[in-house]
Amino acid sequence: MMFLNFADMGLGLAAGLAGFVDAVVGGGGLILLPALFASFPQAAPATLLGTNKAGAIWGTGAAFLSYVRRVRIPWKTVIPTALASLTGSLIGADMVTRINGDDFRRALPFVLAGVLIYTLMNRQLGQVHEPRFTQKTATFLGIAGGLLIGFYDGFLGPGTGNFLVFVFILIFGFDFLHASASAKMVNFSSNFAALVLFASKNHVLWHLALFLAMCSMLGSLMGTRNGTTFVRRLFIVVVLLLIARTAWEAFGG
């Protein structure tokens, strides 16, 4: 059994901050994953990805449970979307071992830039909660979106929470608060699927992951105590940072 050291404590702070950001708008991996890679440069990437999932999933779950107490979740739309996301994540995690993801990485900064520009140009986007589809249509779109974004989460991952929030706002007409709450359950499903895959291949540092999980949960519970305006502002900041990071990894790293 390995004991926690000062480096692990630093990772705990990163996990707490990641949990806070992830609870509000998604994108916590922007903080925790680079910290893990910097702390364990010799570790297999799959092991660090698995440890990140094992630590972050509890924060995502805690955030969702906290939102449930404040926000009325459209279960008939969210549950099919979450199940589809789980399936898509398993497919993506399996394919990442067979396909070169460089082209996807190069495209990601441009996709995120499009999301940011659209959000900035539409100041009322996500301010009002007005679901716009019948339940049948919402279920169909949820399954399609869940499969696609779940696949992305299993295949690459950065920005999954942001994409989910954006989809719930743009497609379904949710406000930022309802979108963030709904995105948490869907993201939990895709994280769970990826974690099962990594754990089955012994790619999780469990002693560290459990500590990170506690820190992530604390950060997540603090992050859910915010309203729509704050969520929108943080969403814009996190997407900007994601664009910078993904662009550097794709073109400058």
Side-chain angles (χ1 to χ4, degrees):
M1 178 69 178
M2 297 178 62
F3 294 96
L4 298 172
N5 53 36
F6 286 111
D8 294 334
M9 294 299 179
L11 286 173
L13 292 175
L17 181 58
F20 178 88
V21 171
D22 206 50
V24 183
V25 293
L30 172 71
I31 299 167
L32 184 54
L33 265 178
L36 282 167
F37 275 90
S39 298
F40 302 97
Q42 304 303 319
T47 299
L48 301 183
L49 289 170
T51 302
N52 173 65
K53 291 292 186 187
I57 192 172
W58 297 100
T60 304
F64 176 71
L65 292 176
S66 180
Y67 274 124
V68 166
R69 301 188 184 98
R70 301 172 52 208
V71 180
R72 185 177 179 181
I73 306 295
W75 296 106
K76 292 182 179 179
T77 298
V78 172
I79 289 177
T81 306
L83 292 175
S85 177
L86 187 151
T87 303
S89 183
L90 283 174
I91 297 171
D94 179 64
M95 288 189 66
V96 75
T97 63
R98 312 171 189 225
I99 298 176
N100 189 326
D102 288 344
D103 291 338
F104 285 89
R105 291 186 179 90
R106 293 190 184 100
L108 184 58
F110 299 101
V111 175
L112 285 166
V115 170
L116 178 63
I117 292 170
Y118 190 92
T119 303
L120 291 174
M121 290 180 63
N122 294 268
R123 292 185 175 275
Q124 297 305 310
L125 184 71
Q127 298 297 317
V128 181
H129 185 65
E130 294 180 346
R132 55 174 64 104
F133 295 114
T134 64
Q135 186 56 58
K136 184 176 180 180
T137 302
T139 299
F140 173 79
L141 291 174
I143 291 173
L147 278 170
L148 182 61
I149 297 178
F151 173 84
Y152 168 77
D153 193 25
F155 192 84
L156 286 177
T160 297
N162 304 98
F163 285 130
L164 285 169
V165 170
F166 188 71
V167 165
F168 275 115
I169 292 170
L170 181 63
I171 304 295
F172 295 101
F174 291 7
D175 62 18
F176 270 99
L177 195 59
H178 283 81
S180 293
S182 300
K184 290 298 156 288
M185 182 174 181
V186 179
N187 205 184
F188 180 89
S189 297
S190 62
N191 281 341
F192 178 77
L195 175 58
V196 168
L197 184 67
F198 286 126
S200 69
K201 298 185 178 183
N202 296 317
H203 281 304
V204 179
L205 302 174
W206 286 111
H207 79 285
L208 179 60
L210 294 175
F211 172 64
L212 297 180
M214 291 188 292
C215 297
S216 179
M217 287 176 66
L218 288 174
S220 294
L221 292 175
M222 293 183 355
T224 56
R225 300 176 181 179
N226 295 285
T228 294
T229 300
F230 177 83
V231 174
R232 175 188 169 88
R233 289 172 180 170
L234 190 57
F235 177 83
I236 291 171
V237 171
V238 170
V239 171
L240 274 170
L241 293 174
L242 275 170
I243 290 171
R245 178 195 163 188
T246 53
W248 172 256
E249 289 180 343
F251 302 105

